[in-house]
Amino acid sequence: MVDSPQASNPAATSKRPVVLSVDAMGGDKGPATVVAGLARFLSENPEARALLHGPRDQLNPMVAKRRIGDRVEVCDAPDVVKMTDKPSHALRHGKTTSMWSAIDAVRDGSADVCISCGNTGALMAMSMLRLRKADGVNRPAIAALWPSRNPSGFNMMLDAGADIRADQDDLLTYALMGASYARNGMGLARPRIGLLNVGVEEHKGRAELKVAHDLISRAAARGDYEYVGFVEGGDFPSDRVDVIVTDGFTGNVALKTGEGTANLISELLKEAFNKTPLSKIAALLAMTSLQRLRKRIDPRRVNGGVFLGLNKTVVKSHGSADATGVAAALALGHRLALSGFSDKLAARVASAAALAQDATNDSAAEGDTDSADSGDRQAK
């Protein structure tokens, strides 16, 4: 079974089977890879069902070949959102695409969660249009997992690329949503939140980071999380923090850099152990340890970013995901649906808006007090 650390208690399962709405098109490797990943996922989750969206004449033979037709319904959607399409173009011309169809199945209640390997910008734009942002959310975020030294084996980072911008209020909302995800999805009663910066010293960083630092700190008690302050890039795999908050530009660059590094390490190890007869013998002797290392750093294992801040759950799989990666994203969506995560997050976001406003008001009030004190001192 594909490991997915986001599982909450499966006892929360609803009476009817969880239905996944899967966009079969848009991934770099084509629909055959998505169907292969779906078949792998279904073999480990016999109670799950899926709606598979795309051109019926292409998908039906693939589903038949994998012998999953009794648990998969193909929903005909003749067109595809291309990776090169701008979000605005996808919104104007996307009503007949597999992505639109997959999102609408969640909107109308036919499915519990949407999973797509397609164009991230288009998926976010369509999701916001069809599913709407939760009250109090200005910019939704993508939450992604990062292998770490924590007992769970992972840290969570957001935003991983939903929006390249984020002001101090957005960063506070990300912290609150991230805390909710870590609590409900990763089982952490009091998650530790860190704000990504170029150093841990309070005088470092852009102005909005310094303001966000203050806001997140003030909201910690009411948000039921521990704020550890600024963290650096080296803390991504550390056990100092559970949730790392940053803007989407920085987060996306960091995520892809980490994945590329993990793949490079795997390739270099393989090359080194195949170099000489002695190294091949050493590889055989260390096979079990090498397999554990490979599994630990394999980016496919944590494939799937969750869109936080929408009224329903959407999981974005990497466009280049293979069948293993697709299965991991499907497992994530399935387990979040089992936990009732969407409803729990909506409740947390509703309170997050109040917390954010309270923290902002507290900061402004303190600023006014400081100004008044300064004026008094000058008057004296």
Side-chain angles (χ1 to χ4, degrees):
M1 180 176 179
V2 178
D3 290 326
S4 185
Q6 299 93 329
S8 288
N9 185 358
T13 308
S14 58
K15 291 183 179 180
R16 73 170 177 82
V18 169
V19 179
L20 306 182
S21 182
V22 184
D23 174 13
M25 316 303 290
D28 296 344
K29 301 181 185 299
T33 298
V34 175
V35 176
L38 177 59
R40 181 176 300 189
F41 162 77
L42 290 174
S43 70
E44 298 292 342
N45 297 273
E47 79 289 352
R49 300 292 182 269
L51 303 178
L52 189 64
H53 304 263
R56 183 174 283 120
D57 58 346
Q58 291 186 45
L59 297 181
N60 277 339
M62 297 177 188
V63 169
K65 179 181 178 181
R66 297 285 175 177
R67 299 180 180 177
I68 54 176
D70 58 329
R71 299 165 60 196
V72 175
E73 178 184 345
V74 175
C75 303
D76 190 40
D79 297 321
V80 178
V81 175
K82 300 176 182 177
M83 286 294 187
T84 54
D85 287 346
K86 293 181 178 180
S88 57
H89 180 273
L91 290 180
R92 288 195 301 268
H93 306 285
K95 291 185 178 180
T96 57
T97 63
S98 58
M99 184 180 289
W100 188 291
S101 180
I103 294 170
D104 263 14
V106 176
R107 173 189 166 98
D108 66 23
S110 301
D112 300 288
V113 57
C114 172
I115 300 96
S116 175
C117 299
N119 182 318
T120 302
L123 182 63
M124 177 58 79
M126 282 188 185
S127 297
M128 286 196 293
L129 176 67
R130 305 302 292 163
L131 304 178
R132 300 296 181 184
K133 293 183 292 184
D135 290 340
V137 175
N138 180 35
R139 291 189 175 97
I142 300 176
L145 295 184
W146 198 287
S148 79
R149 298 183 184 90
N150 274 324
S152 66
F154 300 91
N155 289 334
M156 190 237 296
M157 183 266 290
L158 73 164
D159 176 22
D163 197 319
I164 63 172
R165 301 162 296 170
D167 62 20
Q168 58 266 23
D169 294 327
D170 296 323
L171 293 171
L172 172 59
T173 303
Y174 293 172
L176 293 164
M177 291 194 300
S180 178
Y181 184 11
R183 188 177 297 110
N184 293 311
M186 299 173 70
L188 301 176
R190 189 173 174 81
R192 297 164 299 167
I193 310 293
L195 180 61
L196 188 64
N197 199 356
V198 294
V200 298
E201 298 84 358
E202 292 191 9
H203 67 274
K204 289 188 176 180
R206 302 189 304 269
E208 65 269 24
L209 285 178
K210 295 176 184 178
V211 177
H213 170 74
D214 187 51
L215 294 176
I216 295 171
S217 178
R218 289 175 181 275
R222 288 166 290 180
D224 197 23
Y225 60 81
E226 178 185 346
Y227 180 53
V228 302
F230 286 133
V231 295
E232 299 177 287
D235 289 309
F236 274 100
S238 78
D239 58 2
R240 181 185 169 217
V241 66
D242 300 306
V243 179
I244 297 173
V245 174
T246 188
D247 62 87
F249 181 90
T250 306
N252 190 263
V253 170
L255 182 66
K256 291 179 178 177
T257 300
E259 291 169 350
T261 302
N263 286 327
L264 176 63
I265 292 171
S266 296
E267 292 168 7
L268 291 178
L269 281 172
K270 184 176 181 180
E271 180 182 319
F273 280 113
N274 283 322
K275 197 167 186 67
T276 67
L278 284 176
S279 63
K280 291 179 180 179
I281 294 173
L284 288 173
L285 294 174
M287 183 63 68
T288 301
S289 297
L290 289 173
Q291 287 176 342
R292 281 198 299 265
L293 173 63
R294 181 179 181 182
K295 182 178 180 181
R296 185 76 182 269
I297 67 173
D298 188 351
R300 300 177 303 171
R301 221 176 120 232
V302 292
N303 177 47
V306 182
F307 285 2
L308 300 181
L310 300 173
N311 286 313
K312 298 289 184 179
T313 303
V314 176
V315 175
K316 170 64 176 74
S317 169
H318 294 305
S320 59
D322 60 8
T324 299
V326 171
L330 294 169
L332 167 58
H334 180 252
R335 294 186 178 190
L336 288 177
L338 283 176
S339 75
F341 174 70
S342 181
D343 292 337
K344 292 178 180 177
L345 183 62
R348 171 58 63 173
V349 168
S351 64
L355 286 170
Q357 188 60 50
D358 288 346
T360 302
N361 291 341
D362 288 348
S363 181
E366 183 169 303
D368 291 342
T369 301
D370 291 343
S371 297
D373 290 343
S374 176
D376 289 343
R377 287 192 297 270
Q378 291 176 0
K380 291 178 180 178

